[in-house]
Amino acid sequence: MTPIQLADVVIIGGGTGGFAAALASAESGKSVILTEETVWIGGQLTSQAVPPDEHPWIEKFGCTRTYRQFREGVRNYYRDYFPMKPEAKAITELNPGSGSVSRLCHEPRTALAVLQQMLAPYVHSGQVTLLLRHIPVSAETDGDAITSVEVKSLDSGALTILKAPYFLDATECGDLLPLAKAEYVTGAESYAETREPNAVVGDPLPGDMQGFTYCFAVDHLEGENHVIEKPEMYDFWKAYKADFWPDRLLSLMGVKPATNEPVRYEIFPGTEHFSLFRYRQIADMEHFREGTYRSNISLVNWPQNDYWLGSIIDVPEEEKQKHLYQAKQLSLSLLYWLQTEAPRPDGGTGYPGLRLRKDVVGTEDGLAMYPYIRESRRIKAEFTVLEQHVATACRPDGRAEAFADSVGIGCYRIDLHPSTENRPYIDVSSLPFQIPLGSLIPVRVRNLLAAGKNIGVTHITNGCYRLHPVEWNIGEAAGYCAAYCIDNGMTPSELRGNPDELAKFQTHLAKAGIELEWPALRPV
């Protein structure tokens, strides 16, 4: 007989949003079961190895209290446990890696340690049960409600049935939605559907999704040889050139996302070109006592290893595995090209001293445990955020749409990477925006909430709602919403539809440290 586990809230997916949801539900006094496909909670921050992408005001405002605690926890982890130089330790806004992508670039293992510390009281007490290396395989429903979700251990194959009043889908690809028969959409909506300026003309393209990426970490030991074995698909990837790309993908040419004009990169800082190594550098030797690191470390999540030859969502398993394999081969081929053929400023070729740091990402092949997923299945929601609500060009008053049911805020450009239909970047200015509760609530299933990139956004607005602090806020709001609904005997839809209750809930969120609106700010 399949064992059954009970909780107040079951969260499927332990990524950035899933973690924040678990923390919020637990802090609300609820018992939680949190499943995660890999052995690391944290998603983008850990198993996908992507340093935070954040907005210009992040050090002062524009995120939840717990996200700020996480950021300070990362800095204090280095201060407390690493032999830092005194002058570096004293930097208030310490950026451990000095990467240019963010004011806080750090190792995935550091993020994992801090997240585990934040959740530790609830895990140790038994209030939160972590089921690592578990995936959802089926769901039972009764009318418009989910009654149970069956999960499988990827290690033993054992099945477990999870039951709860509320279920949150925080998986990277919205994996619970088809199992629970919740209505959802994928890919690119058409202009006829949404009237978004950047939507596709003609029929919608449900298979058209942003490329995903297998990130990896490297350091550089000049004079040493760390060249990997030639990848099986290297010849294919070395020759590959997309129609919209100015050169072969494995080159130092790319495009400016906002204009798709050609741009030249360099690997290491030194000339007038943009340094790829410095971009997501997660360890800067200069911050630490001599001998702590042999080299700076960087995470490779570059234009050259974005994979857009096919989707892994709603395709046959064989096709999914093919694309995952080819994406891994792309990343390994990029590394091999960097080690052996990349042009050097001195006229030579290759950087054989680039060393794949398998330990940084915790895997045998040296690639992140999970691909960096930019676009998920998305619920058909009570409210869907459109480009017209947040894009600068659509907002003559200089403010994003004000949502009466705001449960948080976010800020990022509408940034879509090349897609599986061979379409180039879409990168347009947006305004600091709110997260409407209606975008977390499915149109029909009454005890399910979206808690990640699977909320009610479009292919276009996913481009600005998918980043770390926003996903965290979405998950945290979903976790609080589930707890509030349990305590007050109502569904999320009823909560949203009752102005008095909604106001009470928003006050509750504000007391918990969730900002609900922005001051007047510039576009990004």
Side-chain angles (χ1 to χ4, degrees):
M1 186 174 177
T2 305
I4 297 173
Q5 292 192 30
L6 307 177
D8 295 318
V9 181
V10 165
I11 303 167
I12 305 297
T16 306
F19 167 84
L23 190 64
S25 291
E27 288 183 343
S28 300
K30 300 297 172 272
S31 60
V32 177
I33 297 173
L34 176 65
T35 72
E36 165 54 29
E37 186 169 341
T38 72
V39 295
W40 284 1
I41 57 173
Q44 295 186 76
L45 295 164
T46 58
S47 61
Q48 296 176 44
V50 184
D53 275 303
E54 299 171 333
H55 57 73
W57 306 281
I58 192 69
E59 297 294 351
K60 295 180 172 59
F61 55 87
C63 67
T64 75
R65 181 187 299 154
T66 56
Y67 186 77
R68 192 167 303 286
Q69 288 170 350
F70 163 75
R71 297 179 86 255
E72 287 309 303
V74 167
R75 288 170 168 152
N76 288 331
Y77 188 85
Y78 285 99
R79 295 184 182 115
D80 292 344
Y81 299 113
F82 281 66
M84 299 196 73
K85 293 178 180 177
E87 60 270 26
K89 194 172 185 176
I91 299 173
T92 302
E93 296 179 1
L94 173 67
N95 187 346
S98 303
S100 62
V101 72
S102 169
R103 290 165 174 78
L104 186 67
C105 292
H106 51 80
E107 285 198 50
R109 290 177 291 189
T110 300
L112 176 65
V114 174
L115 295 176
Q116 289 174 330
Q117 289 172 343
M118 293 176 73
L119 204 56
Y122 306 109
V123 173
H124 290 204
S125 69
Q127 189 177 342
V128 171
T129 300
L130 278 177
L131 297 179
L132 300 176
R133 296 273 296 159
H134 279 71
I135 59 170
V137 293
S138 67
E140 294 293 329
T141 60
D142 181 7
D144 294 337
I146 302 172
T147 56
S148 67
V149 173
E150 188 175 48
V151 296
K152 181 176 76 171
S153 167
L154 294 176
D155 294 323
S156 68
L159 298 173
T160 304
I161 294 173
L162 308 179
K163 293 188 174 186
Y166 278 90
F167 294 86
L168 276 54
D169 185 347
T171 60
E172 301 301 329
C173 296
D175 294 333
L176 183 56
L177 303 181
L179 299 178
K181 298 180 176 60
E183 292 79 1
Y184 67 90
V185 296
T186 61
E189 294 89 349
S190 70
Y191 178 80
E193 291 176 298
T194 67
R195 292 293 190 266
E196 293 173 297
N198 282 287
V200 297
V201 177
D203 294 332
L205 299 172
D208 184 31
M209 301 185 195
Q210 292 185 68
F212 63 89
T213 305
Y214 267 107
C215 304
F216 60 93
V218 291
D219 58 11
H220 184 238
L221 305 176
E222 185 70 54
E224 297 186 9
N225 187 340
H226 294 279
V227 177
I228 63 171
E229 183 179 345
K230 181 180 176 181
E232 292 180 11
M233 292 186 67
Y234 180 69
D235 292 337
F236 171 84
W237 285 117
K238 180 183 173 182
Y240 175 78
K241 180 188 178 302
D243 293 340
F244 56 82
W245 212 249
D247 198 348
R248 290 178 300 180
L249 189 57
L250 299 188
S251 72
L252 292 183
M253 292 298 297
V255 299
K256 296 179 180 178
T259 62
N260 284 294
E261 296 173 309
V263 62
R264 180 174 292 277
Y265 303 114
E266 63 180 354
I267 306 302
F268 298 102
T271 69
E272 74 277 11
H273 301 301
F274 182 82
S275 168
L276 292 168
F277 193 93
R278 183 64 178 268
Y279 185 40
R280 284 188 165 91
Q281 186 173 284
I282 56 171
D284 182 354
M285 294 171 62
E286 293 302 311
H287 287 324
F288 304 90
R289 288 208 297 263
E290 187 174 350
T292 304
Y293 289 96
R294 294 185 63 198
S295 161
N296 295 346
I297 303 173
S298 183
L299 280 171
V300 179
N301 174 20
W302 300 348
Q304 293 94 330
N305 62 328
D306 276 5
Y307 179 86
W308 55 66
L309 296 192
S311 171
I312 58 172
I313 293 176
D314 288 349
V315 297
E317 184 63 23
E318 183 178 353
E319 183 177 348
K320 174 183 175 181
Q321 293 304 321
K322 179 188 78 170
H323 290 309
L324 291 172
Y325 171 76
Q326 292 182 168
K328 285 189 172 187
Q329 284 289 300
L330 171 57
S331 287
L332 292 171
S333 294
L334 171 59
L335 174 59
Y336 187 77
W337 179 82
L338 291 168
Q339 292 172 325
T340 61
E341 299 194 55
R344 299 174 62 118
D346 61 8
T349 55
Y351 297 87
L354 282 171
R355 178 175 59 162
L356 184 62
R357 288 294 301 269
K358 301 179 180 182
D359 56 316
V360 172
V361 297
T363 62
E364 291 185 9
D365 64 8
L367 303 177
M369 291 179 183
Y370 201 88
Y372 174 33
I373 302 294
R374 295 182 177 87
E375 187 169 342
S376 170
R377 298 176 182 89
R378 305 183 296 277
I379 61 168
K380 287 188 176 181
E382 289 196 354
F383 183 85
T384 299
V385 182
L386 305 177
E387 183 178 359
Q388 297 92 306
H389 296 131
V390 297
T392 304
C394 300
R395 309 294 304 177
D397 64 351
R399 300 295 295 264
E401 184 80 17
F403 298 128
D405 61 343
S406 173
V407 292
I409 57 176
C411 180
Y412 203 74
R413 287 178 67 86
I414 294 175
D415 168 22
L416 280 76
H417 285 230
S419 69
T420 55
E421 290 285 339
N422 237 24
R423 294 198 299 142
Y425 283 100
I426 297 174
D427 187 289
V428 297
S429 175
S430 69
L431 292 154
F433 53 79
Q434 294 174 310
I435 303 165
L437 177 59
S439 68
L440 278 62
I441 303 174
V443 291
R444 181 183 56 82
V445 184
R446 62 177 183 267
N447 66 337
L448 170 67
L449 287 165
K453 291 184 285 286
N454 56 350
I455 63 169
V457 289
T458 64
H459 175 70
I460 301 297
T461 52
N462 164 76
C464 61
Y465 275 78
R466 65 179 173 82
L467 283 306
H468 304 65
V470 187
E471 184 181 342
W472 183 297
N473 193 150
I474 291 166
E476 190 168 349
Y480 278 123
C481 181
Y484 189 92
C485 288
I486 291 171
D487 287 341
N488 292 278
M490 61 179 61
T491 67
S493 185
E494 290 168 343
L495 168 60
R496 179 172 179 259
N498 185 320
D500 291 338
E501 285 295 337
L502 177 61
K504 290 178 185 177
F505 177 59
Q506 290 173 316
T507 299
H508 179 68
L509 294 180
K511 289 180 179 177
I514 295 179
E515 299 173 26
L516 302 180
E517 59 184 359
W518 289 95
L521 295 169
R522 63 172 174 84
V524 295

